Amino acid sequence: MDKNRHPHPMGHPHGKKVDYHQNPFIVIWEVTRACELKCIHCRADAQLTPDPRELTHQEGLELIDQIYEMNNPLLVFTGGDCMLREDLFELADYAIQKGMRVSISPSATSNVTKEKMLLAKKVGLSRWGFSLDAPVAEVHDQFRGVTGSFSLTIEKIQYLHELEMPLQINTVITRYNYHLLEEMAQLVAKLGAVMWYIFLLVPTGRGQIQDCITPIEHEKVFRWLYQLSKTAPYDIKTTAAQHYRRVVLQEKMREKAIRNGQIRYEDTITTDSASLVDGIKRAPKGVNDGNGFLFISHIGDVMPSGLLPIKAGNIRETPLAKIYREAKLFQDLRQPNKYKGKCGVCEYNEICGGSRSRAYAVTGDYLESEPFCVYIPQILRNKKEYAKKRFS
């Protein structure tokens, strides 16, 4: 399969430049919190029935208008299970008719029928994302809290292929599936996905810190993903893994330095490649919680992301653009110089910045350092070297 047939956009879908201080790159709308699954990591702590306070159909249309006016960002309908929102396809059709790029991320349950998939295709939904967390049913079903979830997901994926719709597979990496990643990567290819969307667990909602992989394991996953990205027949994207950008940049610079003869291959383990390349901070700025990323809950609460559950306002009371542009929470998150600890002095903080949601979940402070990053910034290493020489 041509991995570029459905490329994931790195810029605005219509070629416009995005100023994250003014507009988000991507908007996630939790259209409902209802869901029939019982996932052990669920950040929403989803429930079986819809919340009576959910945004109404008319409020949903008005919200789409507000989102569109913010430079027409990417829009994703999520949940809970977005398929339990009765007017989902009407909302999607309204947005698509305005010229918006819309995706949905439903749960693989009996609610996903071939008829609904066909309707989604007719409406023009750009991509479906199904969650698959392990290459074996036992682990996936345990993770999703429902026996038979694995086989049902595979069945729905086959429906998708029959309708010739692009497939995105979403996987949450935890200590329960960390040892199965090689097999999982092979399954993603076998299933014909155009995108493998990797989520690194953030301990919020039902997710617990003991479910997370270690900081060293995060680093190993990132370096493995980078090598995989060179040969995989699908694109790879990560969420709550901002330091993957740092790893990718380090690896690319290391490879360039080797080609140019600046360093030997055997020296690459200890060499900081970033120091060999001028203009490191001119690299593209990455999306982060509240910085190009915006989340709207089922009742209209506006947050930096679904994994950073701090309410900055509500669209029933304040226009969406005003919240995103003026709320102190969002303004803080868009200023890396305000970050604390090593994230605040790291040479990668404008392209990485660490997961603000994980920092908040672990420390209670969204400006603190990414707790699962092993990298030591250059300035801190220099200080250590200086201290070592001074007191030796």
Side-chain angles (χ1 to χ4, degrees):
M1 176 178 292
D2 179 2
K3 67 183 292 186
N4 294 316
R5 190 175 62 165
H6 299 282
H8 186 82
M10 296 307 293
H12 190 278
H14 301 293
K16 304 175 185 176
K17 185 177 180 180
V18 183
D19 177 357
Y20 294 164
H21 290 284
Q22 293 297 310
N23 300 304
F25 171 78
I26 184 169
V27 174
I28 310 293
W29 176 18
E30 177 192 65
V31 295
T32 183
R33 190 159 281 190
C35 185
E36 295 176 355
L37 299 181
K38 303 171 184 176
C39 305
I40 62 173
H41 71 291
C42 183
R43 56 101 200 141
D45 199 9
Q47 56 202 43
L48 288 174
T49 57
D51 189 324
R53 300 172 298 162
E54 275 181 9
L55 296 179
T56 66
H57 179 72
Q58 185 58 40
E59 287 176 321
L61 297 179
E62 293 170 0
L63 173 59
I64 289 171
D65 287 340
Q66 291 189 55
I67 295 170
Y68 176 78
E69 290 302 320
M70 297 181 75
N71 204 33
N72 192 8
L74 301 174
L75 175 60
V76 179
F77 293 133
T78 187
D81 180 4
C82 59
M83 296 298 288
L84 292 179
R85 174 92 188 200
E86 293 183 0
D87 60 348
L88 176 68
F89 295 124
E90 295 174 48
L91 293 169
D93 183 56
Y94 180 76
I96 291 168
Q97 291 302 318
K98 291 177 72 73
M100 301 179 73
R101 184 174 179 185
V102 183
S103 295
I104 59 175
S105 186
S107 300
T109 68
S110 57
N111 295 311
V112 179
T113 64
K114 191 178 291 188
E115 290 72 27
K116 287 184 178 179
M117 286 183 172
L118 183 59
L119 178 58
K121 183 177 181 179
K122 288 180 178 178
V123 167
L125 286 166
S126 60
R127 181 180 295 168
W128 280 53
F130 279 122
S131 293
L132 199 58
D133 296 297
V136 292
E138 180 183 4
V139 178
H140 174 85
D141 289 358
Q142 180 184 11
F143 200 77
R144 294 289 156 180
V146 175
T147 301
S149 175
F150 180 86
S151 59
L152 199 58
T153 301
I154 299 298
E155 176 186 301
K156 304 309 179 186
I157 287 174
Q158 294 307 319
Y159 287 171
L160 208 61
H161 286 320
E162 289 174 21
L163 295 172
E164 297 183 336
M165 297 173 67
L167 167 67
Q168 172 179 304
I169 290 180
N170 305 326
T171 300
V172 181
I173 296 180
T174 69
R175 68 182 183 88
Y176 308 111
N177 60 1
Y178 171 72
H179 63 293
L180 296 170
L181 290 180
E182 288 280 2
E183 296 171 53
M184 189 64 208
Q186 295 171 17
L187 179 60
V188 174
K190 183 179 178 181
L191 291 174
V194 300
M195 170 73 74
W196 191 17
Y197 211 133
I198 301 290
F199 295 75
L200 274 296
L201 183 65
V202 172
T204 189
R206 292 181 195 151
Q208 301 297 311
I209 195 165
Q210 61 264 29
D211 299 328
C212 299
I213 59 175
T214 68
I216 291 176
E217 287 169 339
H218 274 74
E219 194 78 0
K220 288 181 179 179
V221 166
F222 296 150
R223 297 193 182 280
W224 172 75
L225 281 176
Y226 174 71
Q227 295 303 323
L228 176 65
S229 71
K230 295 179 180 181
T231 58
Y234 45 77
D235 289 323
I236 296 172
K237 192 177 185 303
T238 57
T239 284
Q242 282 75 8
H243 35 325
Y244 176 56
R245 301 173 196 146
R246 183 258 305 164
V247 168
V248 168
L249 191 56
Q250 282 181 309
E251 291 298 312
K252 286 183 179 297
M253 295 305 101
R254 182 175 288 120
E255 291 167 354
K256 182 178 179 181
I258 292 172
R259 288 196 303 270
N260 293 341
Q262 293 169 282
I263 57 175
R264 299 175 303 166
Y265 178 79
E266 54 267 32
D267 295 331
T268 61
I269 301 302
T270 57
T271 300
D272 174 24
S273 305
S275 64
L276 299 172
V277 181
D278 183 41
I280 182 70
K281 293 190 176 181
R282 290 200 297 267
K285 180 167 50 172
V287 173
N288 206 329
D289 303 306
N291 186 21
F293 197 101
L294 177 61
F295 179 90
I296 302 139
S297 81
H298 63 298
I299 58 174
D301 287 338
V302 180
M303 307 174 196
S305 81
L307 300 170
L308 209 175
I310 305 178
K311 175 182 173 181
N314 187 286
I315 62 160
R316 285 171 166 157
E317 302 164 357
T318 310
L320 182 64
K322 183 177 179 63
I323 297 172
Y324 179 81
R325 294 166 185 166
E326 299 180 14
K328 182 180 183 300
L329 170 61
F330 280 91
Q331 290 186 345
D332 283 348
L333 290 167
R334 291 194 290 268
Q335 299 181 65
N337 62 311
K338 284 192 171 186
Y339 297 168
K340 300 175 183 178
K342 66 180 185 180
C343 278
V345 298
C346 184
E347 62 270 28
Y348 295 99
N349 75 349
E350 289 191 9
I351 61 167
C352 168
S355 169
R356 299 296 95 215
S357 56
R358 190 176 291 106
Y360 177 74
V362 175
T363 71
D365 185 345
Y366 56 79
L367 293 177
E368 265 297 349
S369 288
E370 160 66 67
F372 284 8
C373 176
V374 299
Y375 181 71
I376 300 175
Q378 188 71 44
I379 189 172
L380 296 182
R381 275 179 281 161
N382 289 343
K383 285 183 177 180
K384 288 184 178 181
E385 288 299 318
Y386 174 75
K388 188 186 299 183
K389 290 178 181 178
R390 182 179 177 185
F391 297 109
S392 60

